[in-house]
């Protein structure tokens, strides 16, 4: 069992949880104390290995797959079949599947899965939802090992097979027509989320049972949000990253605050200390400190918001504006092949709303294809005068210029005007200067060019500007 | 200290603290492994209470260090009593002692102001050290805590090293108002306390308000549980459920209805914006008869 726990710790690390060696040692001691009765064993591991509540879902998933599913996989292989679908449900599912086949021939005969789904959601019938998940999963047949890399796609396929989108559509219409209240509607959404999660769980279990340890490791790495490429994120992950950015921001803020507080206690000011000591008969009871000035950087952000880069720009804006009082000033611009300042949208408190407004109102795109040359031209002629020479100008973009003219002289002009130019590129370094990427054309005018593909790197680069 | 998880759970219950087995398991592990217990969770779920009750159940003295921004070593560990020292120096001057002699006089335990941490480390009897709301302190203090919780000893330059006889039971609580360092978190056993389940909360109400009719208690608890599911700035805590139940008892009502709830909503909800949000939909949130 000790080995298993060590192995489990390694797997969690792969999934992005920072489990230290001492935590694993504690986990070993803890399980030795409470034994291996399932519940106690789980809590013994959880209370020693999880540091944050946010890490619990990943921990739970890995725990389930590693301690429950994986052992079943060896067992399953010996018996020559997988044991996924618990037998009690099978009969019912076959029945369901039959009615599902009916759907192709028109909506008349039997309950189509979409109708079943609508009903299950309305009734909050979780056992029916569970059966639908099984049905959806079964529709995929036996996915191959390599399909694991496209898990998201499989899930979509499975959802389509049970008429998910039709059902969602129907539910929306019912909601409008029958004026369904908010709490009921949120219960519906809970049901849908549950179903989606179940399908994913079934699939992951299938892969682990059929392909064993190796598949499990892939699932763990795929779950590692910190290392996940920005352009691969799905909506749920984007939400999760937003939360983590808020956390990251708080962490940075308090770190910076500490430095600032320390700075308030700069060097001892002898003159004032001695003068003050006169009050206490010449004994310097209170020391006086000289205040230290702390320079706050001025930031100008130029954010490419075309295609897959938009997510990254959005994260960066969220991060910077969450800690904006750590800067003397922040100005922000959005661009694709036009550029417009959006600083004013961020004057209100709600950053999320500001982002939405900026993205929907600002005029940054003419053709929809990035044109860095054009953007630098506009920026240099229209805005540069008003940019403080002390500022750090940060360009977020992939430097994919769609074969257009690079207008490097304008970037040169910009870089001579400001204190420094930094470039954050969300594409892997290996992709720079391939196809229409012209990173090396612009790089000479930047103090530094950073690769910034995932949350972990975002954390690192932001430290570079603080 | 405790032979089993069950024994601990019973002991806590005997001190009027009702809790789930898994909570008892985690507390048990913290005691057995002699590690600090970090209790996180929303306001009013009984984090502080757990530490108090743990002291009671283990016949230990409770020493409490309340954290706040700006809390420093002088307030948490020890401080020299400067005024007293100055006075003594003054006396010493008139007796024309030299500095070496005078120093012997003034850096003695007599002039030491013991703060909670030193108190806990130097205590002869067993203690439960409650470091309440660590998330309110700042990072500097956090790393200082980390030091103390690593080897349970401190060195006072003028007096030498103080080492605790027995490792104290340490309970840290946090509302997660600030992210704090991983290093400190890693050193702890984690307990996430959430709002209680319906059954558990019902038990607590019966325990705290002995005379209450079960049917009223059920209505009260289910309303509070529904309320917690709404998007509120601050959801009602256990303490608020208890207060609310008490006032409804005082009003003499046998059941709760829209009018009663609306009249007493401010006991449950502390923010006006939350009250406004809920006020008009009370009837749809009430349990069905
Ligand atoms: N499990 C329990 N059994 C009995 N009473 C409880 C329990 N949990 C909480 N209470 C009651 O709830 C009250 C509030 O708990 P406590 O002050 O410990 O909350 P807290 O989590 O420390 O809140 P805060 O974050 O605001 O400090 C306690 O005084 C106690 O009466
Ligand atoms: Mg408290």
């Amino acid at each position: 069992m000790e080995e298993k726990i060590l192995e489990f710790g390694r797997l969690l690390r792969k999934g992005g949880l920072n489990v230290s060696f001492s935590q694993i040692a504690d986990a070993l001691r803890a399980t030795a104390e409470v034994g291996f009765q399932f519940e106690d064993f789980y809590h013994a591991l959880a209370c020693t290995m999880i540091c944050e509540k946010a890490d619990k879902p990943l921990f739970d998933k890995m725990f389930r797959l590693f301690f429950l599913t994986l052992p079943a996989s060896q067992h399953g292989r010996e018996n020559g079949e997988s044991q996924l679908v618990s037998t009690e449900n099978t009969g019912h599912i076959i029945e369901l599947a039959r009615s599902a086949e009916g759907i192709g021939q028109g909506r008349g005969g039997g309950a189509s899965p979409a109708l079943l789904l609508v009903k299950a959601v309305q009734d909050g019938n979780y056992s029916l939802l569970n059966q639908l998940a099984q049905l959806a999963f079964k529709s995929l047949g036996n996915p191959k090992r390599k399909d694991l890399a496209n898990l998201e796609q499989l899930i979509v396929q499975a959802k389509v097979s049970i008429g998910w989108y039709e059902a969602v559509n129907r539910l929306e219409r019912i909601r409008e027509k029958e004026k369904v209240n908010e709490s009921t509607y949120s219960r519906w959404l809970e049901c849908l989320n549950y179903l989606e999660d179940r399908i994913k769980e079934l699939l992951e279990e299938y892969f682990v049972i059929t392909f064993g340890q190796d598949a499990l490791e892939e699932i763990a790495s795929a779950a590692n949000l910190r290392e996940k490429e920005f352009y691969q994120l799905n909506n749920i992950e984007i939400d999760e990253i937003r939360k983590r950015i808020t956390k990251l921001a708080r962490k940075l803020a308090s770190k910076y605050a500490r430095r600032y507080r320390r700075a308030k206690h700069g060097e001892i000011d002898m003159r004032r200390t001695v003068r003050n000591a006169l009050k206490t008969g010449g004994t310097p009871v209170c020391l006086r400190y000289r205040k230290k000035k702390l320079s706050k950087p001025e930031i100008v952000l130029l954010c490419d918001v075309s295609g897959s880069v938009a997510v990254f720009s959005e994260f960066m804006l969220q991060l910077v504006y969450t800690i904006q009082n750590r800067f003397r000033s922040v100005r922000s611009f959005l661009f694709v092949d036009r550029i417009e300042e959006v600083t004013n949208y961020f004057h209100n408190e709600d950053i999320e709303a500001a982002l939405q407004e900026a993205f929907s109102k600002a005029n940054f795109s003419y053709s929809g294809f990035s044109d860095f040359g054009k953007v630098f031209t506009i920026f240099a002629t229209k805005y540069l005068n008003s940019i403080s020479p002390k500022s750090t100008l940060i360009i977020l973009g992939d430097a994919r210029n769609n074969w257009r003219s690079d207008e490097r002289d304008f970037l040169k002009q910009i870089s001579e005007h400001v204190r420094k130019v930094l470039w954050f590129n969300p594409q892997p370094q290996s992709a720079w200067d391939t196809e229409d990427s012209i990173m090396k054309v612009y790089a000479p005018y930047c103090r530094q060019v950073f690769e910034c593909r995932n949350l972990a790197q975002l954390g690192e680069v932001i430290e570079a500007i603080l | 200290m405790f032979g089993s998880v069950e024994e601990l759970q019973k002991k806590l219950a005997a001190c009027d603290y009702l809790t789930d087995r898994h909570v008892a398991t985690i507390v048990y592990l913290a005691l057995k492994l002699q590690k600090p217990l970090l209790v996180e969770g929303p306001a009013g779920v009984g984090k502080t209470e757990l530490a108090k009750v743990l002291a009671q159940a283990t016949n230990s003295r409770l020493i409490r260090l309340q954290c706040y921004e700006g809390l420093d070593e002088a307030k948490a560990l020890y401080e020299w009593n400067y005024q007293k020292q100055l006075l003594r120096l003054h006396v010493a001057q008139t007796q024309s002692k030299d500095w070496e002699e005078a120093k012997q006089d003034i850096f003695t335990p007599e002039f030491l102001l013991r703060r909670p941490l030193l108190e806990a480390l130097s205590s002869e009897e067993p203690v439960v050290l409650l470091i309440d709301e660590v998330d309110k302190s700042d990072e500097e203090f956090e790393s200082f805590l980390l030091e103390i919780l690593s080897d349970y000893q401190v060195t006072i330059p003028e007096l030498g090293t103080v080492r605790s006889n027995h490792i104290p039971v340490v309970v840290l609580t946090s509302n997660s108002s600030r992210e704090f360092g991983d290093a400190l978190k890693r050193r702890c056993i984690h307990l996430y306390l959430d709002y209680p389940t319906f059954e558990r909360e019902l038990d607590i109400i019966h325990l705290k308000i002995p005379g209450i009719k079960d049917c009223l208690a059920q209505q009260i608890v289910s309303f509070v549980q529904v309320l917690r599911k709404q998007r509120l700035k601050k959801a009602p805590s256990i303490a608020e459920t208890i207060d609310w139940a008490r006032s409804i008892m005082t009003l003499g009502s046998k059941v709760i209805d829209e009018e009663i709830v609306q009249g007493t909503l401010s006991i449950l909800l502390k923010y006006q914006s939350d009250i406004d949000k809920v006020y008009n939909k009370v009837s749809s949130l009430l349990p069905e008869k």
Side-chain angles (χ1 to χ4, degrees), chain A residues 18 23 26 40 47 261, chain B residues 21 33 35 69 186 190:
Chain A
N18 248 329
Q23 284 178 290
D26 288 341
D40 291 349
C47 77
R261 260 198 298 276
Chain B
R21 182 186 162 90
L33 270 54
K35 301 211 70 171
E69 203 181 327
R186 291 233 175 84
H190 284 259

Side-chain angles (χ1 to χ4, degrees), chain A residues 218-235:
Chain A
E218 188 173 326
I219 291 172
S221 334
N224 191 341
L225 271 188
R226 279 176 50 76
E227 311 260 305
K228 195 152 197 171
E229 309 263 336
F230 285 136
Y231 73 90
Q232 285 181 337
L233 300 172
N234 64 30
N235 285 340

